[in-house]
């Protein structure tokens, strides 16, 4: 089959890489892709979704997979499905689980899915009253999409009130902050759990952990994610079962009940507090960098998983994973996440060690080809991924590969997967 992947990051590269090794896949397209996806398939520079749907029809592409949230919340799936095309991702209505935190929190409350105590409001006085009723720290969230920056963890009530005021006045995030959530702080550890869904059925992928802060020991500002690993030992069968019974199943049932059956990846950001899973947030797509560690662990052909999910046929699939661990280390550009950096040429040494060659790879993200040479042009430039029978060996391989990649100003964390190696 021929497949189009929408997006341009490391996540989309990693999906493409898995599909490029899949014997069911003939040709890959990326819209728009990046400076390396053109080596896995063809980059297509079409921005309008209607025109992209025309391109898919003209080229008889069998399946479209959507990577990032923006096209999903814009309604790309509805546009493609109206044209009778097969596309993996949630409808615009279902994508509100990520696109509106107010929708998400009210949905969780309606279906009795565990989440932090909260209020939703557009009224500053109400926000102040609720803030006064909570213990510090206090979490204040803008309703809409804010590129991962719409969550403030305030150490004091005054700071929480200021965050609420700045959001509600439109100062911080424009219209995305005109409604806010104020919620209690949850003290525990975070997991990223992914369910691939077809509207009714689902398959759970191995749980992962992301590293959101820029610097070692979880210091520095929040980023899109500086590294990930999977499966994490911080979950066991009992916890998986609680997550399925209390979160995944009621979510799918609830979405069906409100006529927004959920198809695509449901990414559940979970805080585990005293062995109980509590939903922090939903995302309606794969995490990045989590996707880069999940794709290489998939034993089932990726084309089968995505096609069956997109065509309501997941119940036919017996999903299998390699009995291995994957660790991904993000290499970012010099000024990430504050501002852009000057493009610099990327040199990757020839890997001579056979073991490293066979058990590691690079997933490319913010890269561009200029005159045939590869340049770092984005914030998160690429990821080095190691695979092994233990997390420690997978991490050693990922870091060994990091040492073979060179560009001016490269920065990366040196402690990815530390939570797993502590236990
Ligand atoms: P969100 O975009 O809602 O996932 O929030 C981003 C990050 O803020 C999460 O990954 C958590 O690290 C943190 N966070 C959000 N809500 C809470 C909460 N209620 N308690 C503790 N940490 C939170
Ligand atoms: N890695 C977190 C995210 O993709 O939102």
């Amino acid at each position: 089959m021929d497949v189009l992947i929408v997006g341009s990051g490391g996540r989309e590269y990693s999906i493409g890489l898995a599909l490029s090794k899949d014997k069911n896949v003939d040709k890959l397209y990326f819209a728009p892709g990046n400076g390396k996806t053109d080596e896995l398939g063809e980059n297509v520079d079409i921005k309008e979704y209607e025109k992209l749907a025309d391109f898919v029809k003209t080229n008889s592409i069998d399946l479209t997979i959507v990577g990032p949230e923006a096209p999903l919340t814009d309604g790309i799936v509805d546009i493609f499905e109206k044209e009778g095309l097969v596309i993996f991702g949630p409808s615009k209505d279902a994508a509100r689980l990520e696109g509106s935190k107010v929708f998400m929190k009210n949905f969780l409350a309606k279906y009795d899915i565990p989440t932090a105590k909260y209020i939703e409001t557009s009224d500053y006085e109400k926000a102040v009253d609720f803030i006064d009723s909570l213990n510090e720290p206090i979490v204040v969230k803008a309703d809409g999409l804010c590129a991962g920056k719409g969550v403030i963890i305030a150490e004091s009530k005054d700071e929480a009130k200021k965050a609420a005021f700045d959001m509600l006045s439109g100062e911080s995030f424009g219209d995305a902050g005109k409604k806010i959530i104020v919620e209690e702080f949850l003290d525990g550890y975070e997991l990223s759990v992914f369910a691939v869904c077809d509207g009714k059925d689902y398959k759970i992928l191995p749980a992962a952990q992301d590293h959101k802060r820029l610097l070692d020991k979880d210091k520095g500002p929040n980023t899109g994610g500086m590294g990930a690993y999977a499966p994490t030992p911080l979950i066991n069968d009992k916890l998986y079962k609680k997550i399925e019974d209390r979160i995944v199943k009621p979510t799918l049932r609830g979405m069906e009940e409100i006529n927004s059956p959920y198809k695509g990846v449901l990414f559940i950001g979970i805080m585990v507090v005293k062995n109980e899973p509590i939903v922090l947030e939903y995302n309606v797509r794969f995490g990045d960098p989590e996707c880069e560690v999940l794709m290489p662990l998939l034993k089932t052909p990726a084309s089968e998983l995505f096609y069956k999910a997109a065509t309501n046929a997941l119940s036919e699939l017996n999903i299998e994973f390699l009995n291995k661990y994957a660790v991904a280390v993000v290499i970012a550009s010099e000024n990430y996440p504050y501002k852009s950096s000057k493009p610099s040429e990327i040199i990757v040494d020839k890997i001579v060690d056979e073991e490293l060659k066979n058990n590691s790879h690079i997933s490319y993200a913010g890269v561009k080809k200029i005159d045939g040479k590869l340049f770092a042009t984005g914030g998160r430039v690429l990821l080095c991924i190691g695979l092994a029978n233990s997390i420690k060996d997978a991490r050693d391989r990922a870091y060994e590969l990091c040492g073979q990649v060179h560009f001016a100003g490269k920065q990366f964390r040196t402690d990815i997967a530390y939570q797993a190696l502590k236990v």
Side-chain angles (χ1 to χ4, degrees):
M1 68 170 86
D2 293 354
V3 184
L4 167 72
I5 299 167
V6 177
S8 64
R11 168 179 49 206
E12 290 75 27
Y13 184 95
S14 73
I15 295 171
L17 188 66
L19 290 170
S20 72
K21 296 176 183 163
D22 184 329
K23 61 178 182 350
N24 303 327
V25 175
D26 302 306
K27 178 149 193 198
L28 283 175
Y29 298 87
F30 296 85
N34 63 39
K36 257 313 207 187
T37 53
D38 59 351
E39 294 174 23
L40 300 174
E42 184 181 325
N43 285 353
V44 180
D45 190 18
I46 300 175
K47 288 185 187 68
E48 274 175 58
Y49 305 134
E50 285 85 359
K51 289 199 177 133
L52 199 56
D54 285 343
F55 178 85
V56 166
K57 265 199 212 159
T58 310
N59 290 279
S60 309
I61 295 171
D62 304 279
L63 170 67
T64 299
I65 298 169
V66 187
E69 62 275 21
L72 296 166
T73 52
D74 286 347
I76 189 174
V77 169
D78 309 66
I79 292 168
F80 274 49
E81 288 188 339
K82 217 166 81 196
E83 298 297 323
L85 300 169
V86 177
I87 181 163
F88 177 77
S91 66
K92 183 174 178 161
D93 261 4
R96 284 180 299 166
L97 281 180
E98 174 165 1
S100 166
K101 290 203 190 296
V102 168
F103 173 80
M104 183 261 300
K105 290 293 286 193
N106 291 342
F107 176 86
L108 293 173
K110 181 170 177 194
Y111 290 99
D112 218 7
I113 298 167
T115 188
K117 200 167 80 183
Y118 74 104
I119 56 156
E120 152 215 340
T121 185
S122 307
D123 179 45
Y124 179 64
E125 295 306 323
K126 272 202 187 136
V128 167
D129 283 348
F130 192 65
I131 288 168
D132 281 331
S133 75
L134 294 174
N135 295 325
E136 293 117 337
I138 292 162
V139 186
V140 184
K141 301 183 177 184
D143 176 39
L145 289 177
C146 304
K149 299 190 183 73
V151 176
I152 305 286
I153 309 220
E155 295 302 330
S156 70
K157 292 189 175 178
D158 283 347
E159 195 192 326
K161 289 173 193 171
K162 183 172 182 326
F165 185 84
D166 290 349
M167 283 183 197
L168 289 171
S169 64
E171 184 89 355
S172 313
F173 305 110
D175 283 348
K178 295 246 161 115
K179 253 195 206 169
I180 60 169
I181 298 282
V182 180
E183 70 181 26
E184 65 175 336
F185 178 81
L186 299 171
D187 196 5
Y189 62 88
E190 283 187 71
L191 294 178
S192 300
V193 174
F194 297 86
V196 173
C197 308
D198 71 357
K200 230 182 181 57
D201 290 303
Y202 65 89
K203 302 287 174 192
I204 303 269
L205 308 186
Q209 267 198 315
D210 183 16
H211 300 61
K212 291 206 167 89
R213 302 290 199 98
L214 181 70
L215 305 173
D216 284 1
K217 302 203 171 83
D218 294 327
K219 300 257 186 308
N222 259 327
T223 69
M226 293 299 288
Y229 72 94
T232 171
L234 299 173
I235 190 165
N236 54 28
D237 288 347
K238 224 165 137 181
L239 194 51
Y240 269 122
K241 182 146 178 21
K242 284 183 189 170
I243 291 170
E244 288 193 50
D245 290 348
R246 296 185 197 164
I247 300 170
V248 180
K249 287 178 185 165
T251 300
L252 287 182
R253 263 204 315 274
M255 291 303 278
E256 269 194 284
E257 203 175 292
I258 61 168
N259 291 321
S260 291
Y262 193 88
K263 187 180 60 139
V265 187
L266 182 68
F267 167 177
I268 313 164
I270 287 176
M271 187 73 87
V272 181
V273 183
K274 299 192 183 105
N275 292 319
E276 299 300 324
I278 301 181
V279 177
L280 282 177
E281 64 164 347
Y282 287 120
N283 293 300
V284 296
R285 35 111 192 143
F286 272 115
D288 190 351
E290 290 95 327
C291 189
E292 287 91 324
V293 291
L294 295 174
M295 284 301 116
L297 292 175
L298 203 56
K299 199 164 155 192
T300 302
S303 61
E304 226 175 290
L305 175 64
F306 293 129
Y307 194 85
K308 287 206 153 73
T311 54
N312 314 99
L314 265 189
S315 62
E316 295 166 10
L317 184 78
N318 178 25
I319 193 164
E320 286 186 292
F321 301 95
L322 298 178
N323 198 7
K324 285 190 187 241
Y325 295 90
V327 173
V329 179
V330 171
I331 304 194
S333 57
E334 189 172 8
N335 301 322
Y336 181 73
Y338 303 106
K339 55 182 174 125
S340 57
S341 311
K342 228 173 68 200
S344 59
E345 192 182 348
I346 301 170
I347 307 289
V348 181
D349 297 337
K350 192 167 158 40
I351 315 286
V352 281
D353 183 285
E354 280 297 315
E355 226 170 74
L356 185 62
K357 204 155 79 182
N358 295 332
N359 293 289
S360 71
H361 63 271
I362 295 174
S363 214
Y364 290 90
V367 299
K368 238 189 211 143
K369 271 202 199 96
I370 305 172
D371 295 332
K373 291 181 178 159
L374 194 67
F375 280 76
T377 51
R380 291 189 291 173
V381 175
L382 55 82
L383 299 94
C384 292
I385 293 122
L387 284 161
N389 293 329
S390 72
I391 295 181
K392 188 182 172 304
D393 289 351
R395 171 158 104 159
D396 287 349
R397 285 182 177 145
Y399 278 113
E400 217 179 309
L401 188 58
C402 286
Q404 316 278 326
V405 174
H406 313 278
F407 63 87
K410 82 170 188 182
Q411 59 159 330
F412 56 92
R413 278 181 62 157
T414 63
D415 64 347
I416 300 305
Y418 77 90
Q419 305 97 317
L421 297 172
K422 251 182 358 198
V423 294

